[in-house]
Amino acid sequence: MDWITTVDHKKIAILYLWAGGFFFGIGGLEAILIRIQLIKPMNTFLDAQTFNELITMHGTTMIFLGVMPVIFALMNAIIPLQIGARDVAFPFLNALGFWTFLFGGLLLNLSWVMGGAPDAGWTAYTPLSSTTYSATHGVDFYTIGLQIAGLGTLIGGINFLATIITMRAPGMSYMRMPMFAWATFITSAIILFAFPAITVGLVLLTFDRILGANFFNPETGGNPVLWQHIFWIFGHPEVYILILPAFGIISEVIPTFSRKRLFGYSSMVFATLLIAFLGFMVWAHHMFTTGLGPVANALFSVSTMLIAVPTGIKIFNWLFTMWGGQVRFTTPNLFAVGFIPTFTMGGVTGVMLASAPADFQFHDTYFVVAHFHYVIVGGLVLGLFAGLHYWWPKMFGRMLSETLGKWTFWTFIIGFHLTFFVQHFLGLMGMQRRVFTYLPNQQFDTLNLVSTVGAGLMGVGMLIFLWNIYITSRKPADAADDPWEDGRTLEWTISSPPPEYNFKQTPLVRGIDAFWKEKLAGHQAMTPSEPVGSIHMPSATLLPFLMSVGIFIAGLGFMFSRDTFGSDVLGFLFNNYIVTGLGLVITFGSMLLRSLFDDHGWHIEPEELEGR
Amino acid sequence: MMKTWQAGKRLLPMTAALGLILAGCGREDLSVLRPQGPAAESSFDLMKLAITIMVAVLLVVFTIAAYVLIRFRRKPGQREVPEQVEGNFKLEVIWTVIPLILVVILAVPTVKAVFAAGNDHADDPDAVKVKVTGHQYWWEFEYTDYGVKTAQDLVIPAGKDIAFELRTADVLHSFWVPSLSGKIDTNPDGTVNRFSFSAPNEGVYRGKCAELCGPSHGFMEFKVKSVSEAEFEQWLASMKAPAVLPEDPQLAETFRSACLRCHAVGDQGLAVGPDLTGFGSRESVAGILLNDDTGADGAPILENLQTWLHDPESVKPGNTMPDPKADLGLTDEEIDGIAEYLSGLTLE
Ligand code: HEM
Ligand SMILES: [Cu+2]
């Protein structure tokens, strides 16, 4: 109950982490099944339909339900601490964001047991995703599930923007913010601008499918290419929503374990802004083969290549952060150091893809599969591993085992390169992506086998990580406040895990890497910027959970509103929008309760603070 | 511009070396890395340039990374705090400008090639015009100037430019012959795509569908057969010859009523499904059952036809052809008879 009603950012972070980990596990299992099917030519382990459902759900799950929540987990756990705040700006909304995400994700995955998962690829291109060619409810689960989950993301993004704009500790100007806070800030801004696009797209597709509208149906004047534009106007920035937080994490971990400040801080900030901006300009590079014409292809080619410039700045700045430092190979830093060359490899293939005439060959082949996994797994997932190992003691008060951490790192990264490096060649040798099997004698066989073996090894790495979490959770929570000893930012100035109110007194920030600066000056702790006083706390509440349950029920009801049921009762309930209505009543009822009954929260008094 | 060119020149030896290595990768009739025509070559040249630049970048990054990680490890007992460097304006400018130059080196030929690829030969009187239509899960090729239609095997005269006009009858597909040219999507009516390629050398090339189009997307393959001009003329002539139906009148009737409802041979039938004229000369049955009498890479056409006709669903899941036995009520003997007839339906 405590967990269902919490509005504390640290607990919500942990909820995000478990939920994200759960979906990541599902997505990982799906990946392993896909790879087993592709282990040899003409394999019959899976049938074609199941395979298409698996790739669709794997892609969708990983992107929307696997890595996004883990990113949100770290942001929630760390951002308020890093900027010296007592919580996020809107704790109630924070909880609501989590629950809508969770129920959206659950709805999407219900499709496995309710008559067929979506099967049109995670991009859901029309007309394949229309009812004519995808007759089960699979794609409805996709549109409605993602719509609900996306609501949570949008809420989260807005919340972080407000938090970072208004709640920084005294003295923390923008140009003194830690890079992870900067990354969160810019990522949230991208969310704010990109998610409305997919929201609109999903509404249109839902209307096409459930209400028989014709936005994307060519026979009645709709245009399927329109979907591609809408999808990628969201979809490309989404890639940056994923990778910028990883950049932020790496920019925290590397300086800490090099005992040096980040090289070129202001150019890092500028590069991040530039990447975010350019990220909105290049969506059509996913559509070179759609037939946009040479002018559009040339423009989108060149603008895409330009992103290499700010990205390059970042990579060299990281390398020169370590230059002249004292590099320690702790587990988080191993992941961060492994990130640099791996991500660079994903980046350079990105530049290759940007050249439209070359992309005519790369597009929709395993070369692309290799490229985006180098970026997403070799970039983001390595970044998340770095961040999780780094902040675990702060979140849970327990250090993960370093030995097991190193095993995780080596099995995972070796498995990763085995899996995906060879896929570049598979693509160039003529293997398209999203094929459930392939004919023998095309010289694809050995490389596919290698790839599958690599995927198994990555799986082993994940299991070691889970084992590490399990045995760590059984140890006493005795991590030091600053367990890595060279912590530079505010989160390391308070106990691990932090008290409910984070900071007894809001600290005064006197420069970049505030804590490090105090340590250099010979201080053990931050100078407070306020006297000890009564701390206002928000109350726990069940309403965000109820609101999300309501939306979930309404979504299910709407999805089945046109079905014929064996039972009259069911038919009556669904076909007359009674179920949909019931869900909406729960949601809006909860909103009404929230507005009618003012809840002023509660206070922790100074005596109580001193007592601990 | 001069500078760019010089940098490009310095990259040349590496490009050549890479080209040699990559050329060893994959089948000649399938691999992007072994281009067999000008369109694929243009893509491949860009790829080589890009790979060269990118390998150079990677080498620099890897070298610096390796150096830093070895040289600046924290030694046991090291206590003093390293100097906190804020940044270095000069260095930062360097690694902004060098990537910019590299991007320009790649962008200039890219833009040139983009516009060259836009040349679709639609108005070229010398080009052979082919209308390509993608269907779940087969390809239709219509030679508009000659009034000939075929499926799965695209026969073209070697060396001539082929002007394609592409569309789809259902969902999106993407037309791709890796060793001859990059891919292009087939969009539903309204957004017709045009492009062109040529195959200077005679031979058979493997083509694929590259856009997810349903369960059998992976099986939506086709062949491009590049033949001499004379052979091409002859092929056209025999494609236009009147149909020869099975000798046995009963079988002919079954064939007409069951198969010609959707298919066509010569002047008979409808051709809403794949046109079967000259079927015995096809490279494959259904695009994926390769016809090969030696059995090395496939099976004799008769066997392939039997496999297909006895259970099309098991060959290509989700395909729209009715099952001859279950849906069309044919007996095993009739099916085998039709298989025999079709496999004998060869062209001159
Ligand atoms: C265990 C690690 C992973 C393995 C072995 C793996 C493997 C695969 C494979 C084999 C495909 C199908 C390629 C195709 O035929 O199109 C695929 C697709 C995809 N993967 Fe992964 N993957 C892994 C992790 C991830 C992660 C962590 C993400 C994102 C966060 C991700 C995102 C995607 C996406 C977006 C697709 C495209 C799906 C589609 O075509 O609709 N993968 N992956
Ligand atoms: Cu296809």
Side-chain angles (χ1 to χ4, degrees), chain A residues 437-481:
Chain A
T437 190
Y438 46 94
L439 298 183
N441 299 325
Q442 302 189 95
Q443 306 192 3
F444 298 166
D445 309 5
T446 319
L447 296 184
N448 270 300
L449 174 66
V450 171
S451 190
T452 301
V453 171
L457 199 56
M458 287 168 83
V460 172
M462 291 301 305
L463 290 179
I464 300 177
F465 180 58
L466 290 181
W467 176 246
N468 196 353
I469 292 177
Y470 172 71
I471 60 163
T472 302
S473 71
R474 314 198 42 159
K475 288 193 288 200
D478 58 357
D481 294 1

Side-chain angles (χ1 to χ4, degrees), chain B residues 170-225:
Chain B
D170 35 58
V171 302
L172 302 177
H173 303 278
S174 191
F175 179 81
W176 187 35
V177 194
S179 58
L180 292 181
S181 162
K183 62 189 72 63
I184 185 121
D185 295 357
T186 65
N187 296 322
D189 281 325
T191 35
V192 175
N193 277 329
R194 293 171 205 283
F195 90 128
S196 153
F197 67 57
S198 68
N201 307 318
E202 291 179 27
V204 180
Y205 305 94
R206 293 192 178 204
K208 313 227 167 194
C209 172
E211 179 70 60
L212 179 65
C213 56
S216 278
H217 157 58
F219 284 157
M220 194 169 153
E221 306 206 347
F222 61 100
K223 307 286 170 295
V224 177
K225 246 171 122 166

Side-chain angles (χ1 to χ4, degrees), chain B residues 120-137:
Chain B
D120 59 23
H121 286 274
D123 305 322
D124 178 353
D126 276 345
V128 177
K129 318 268 187 307
V130 178
K131 221 159 119 179
V132 176
T133 310
H135 299 260
Q136 273 179 329
Y137 307 101

Side-chain angles (χ1 to χ4, degrees), chain B residues 152-170:
Chain B
Q152 312 295 26
D153 278 15
L154 171 66
V155 180
I156 60 172
K160 270 216 168 177
D161 285 312
I162 317 297
F164 293 101
E165 191 185 304
L166 305 104
R167 63 185 84 226
T168 169
D170 35 58

Side-chain angles (χ1 to χ4, degrees), chain A residues 285 288-289 352-363 368, chain B residues 183:
Chain A
H285 69 209
F288 284 146
T289 64
M352 294 172 63
L353 290 167
S355 176
D359 185 65
F360 295 159
Q361 291 285 21
F362 300 138
H363 182 66
V368 170
Chain B
K183 62 189 72 63

Side-chain angles (χ1 to χ4, degrees), chain A residues 42 48-49 52 55-56 119-121 125-128 133 218 223-225 228 258-265 267 289-295 297-298 301-302 305-306 308-309 312-313 315-317 319-320 322-329 337 340-342 344-345 348-349 351-352 354-365 425 427-444 486 488 516 520, chain B residues 22 24-27 30-33 39-40 42-43 46-47 50-51 54 57-58 60-62 64-65 67-69 72-75 78-88 91-92 95-96 99-100 103 106-107 109-111 113-115 117-118 136 169-172 174 176-185 187-189 191 193 206 208-221 287-290 296-297 317:
Chain A
M42 301 303 281
Q49 177 62 26
N52 284 357
I55 56 155
T56 304
D119 56 1
Y125 275 13
T126 56
L128 187 61
Y133 300 103
N223 187 347
V225 178
Q228 299 184 25
S258 310
R259 310 186 83 215
K260 263 188 76 201
R261 67 173 283 180
L262 187 65
F263 192 92
Y265 173 86
S267 65
T289 64
T290 308
L292 303 173
V295 177
N297 280 357
S301 270
V302 175
M305 288 178 193
L306 284 180
V309 177
I313 294 179
I315 288 175
F316 285 103
N317 278 345
L319 290 175
F320 276 76
M322 293 188 277
W323 193 289
Q326 298 162 3
V327 182
R328 279 166 69 197
F329 292 100
V337 165
I340 295 178
T342 312
T344 312
M345 289 171 73
V348 297
T349 50
V351 180
M352 294 172 63
S355 176
D359 185 65
F360 295 159
Q361 291 285 21
F362 300 138
H363 182 66
D364 267 332
T365 69
F425 294 94
L428 294 174
M429 285 158 59
M431 180 161 163
Q432 333 86 298
R433 72 192 272 214
R434 296 171 165 177
V435 292
F436 83 106
T437 190
Y438 46 94
L439 298 183
N441 299 325
Q442 302 189 95
Q443 306 192 3
F444 298 166
D486 291 319
R488 308 175 69 85
W516 179 257
L520 283 189
Chain B
L22 293 179
C25 274
R27 287 173 63 127
L30 173 63
S31 175
V32 169
L33 302 172
S42 146
S43 292
L46 272 174
M47 271 182 219
I51 294 179
M54 295 309 145
V57 171
L58 283 181
V60 172
V61 171
F62 287 3
I64 300 180
Y67 175 76
V68 169
L69 294 179
F72 298 108
R73 290 217 318 268
R74 189 174 185 186
K75 323 256 171 344
Q78 209 168 20
R79 286 265 131 241
E80 86 288 354
V81 175
E83 191 198 343
Q84 305 290 303
V85 195
E86 192 172 322
N88 182 319
L91 277 176
E92 287 167 55
W95 59 65
T96 311
L100 257 179
V103 163
L106 185 58
T110 293
V111 172
V114 166
F115 283 93
Q136 273 179 329
D170 35 58
V171 302
L172 302 177
S174 191
W176 187 35
V177 194
S179 58
L180 292 181
S181 162
K183 62 189 72 63
I184 185 121
D185 295 357
N187 296 322
D189 281 325
T191 35
N193 277 329
R206 293 192 178 204
K208 313 227 167 194
C209 172
E211 179 70 60
L212 179 65
C213 56
S216 278
H217 157 58
F219 284 157
M220 194 169 153
E221 306 206 347
I288 48 166
L289 300 173
L290 304 178
D297 196 5

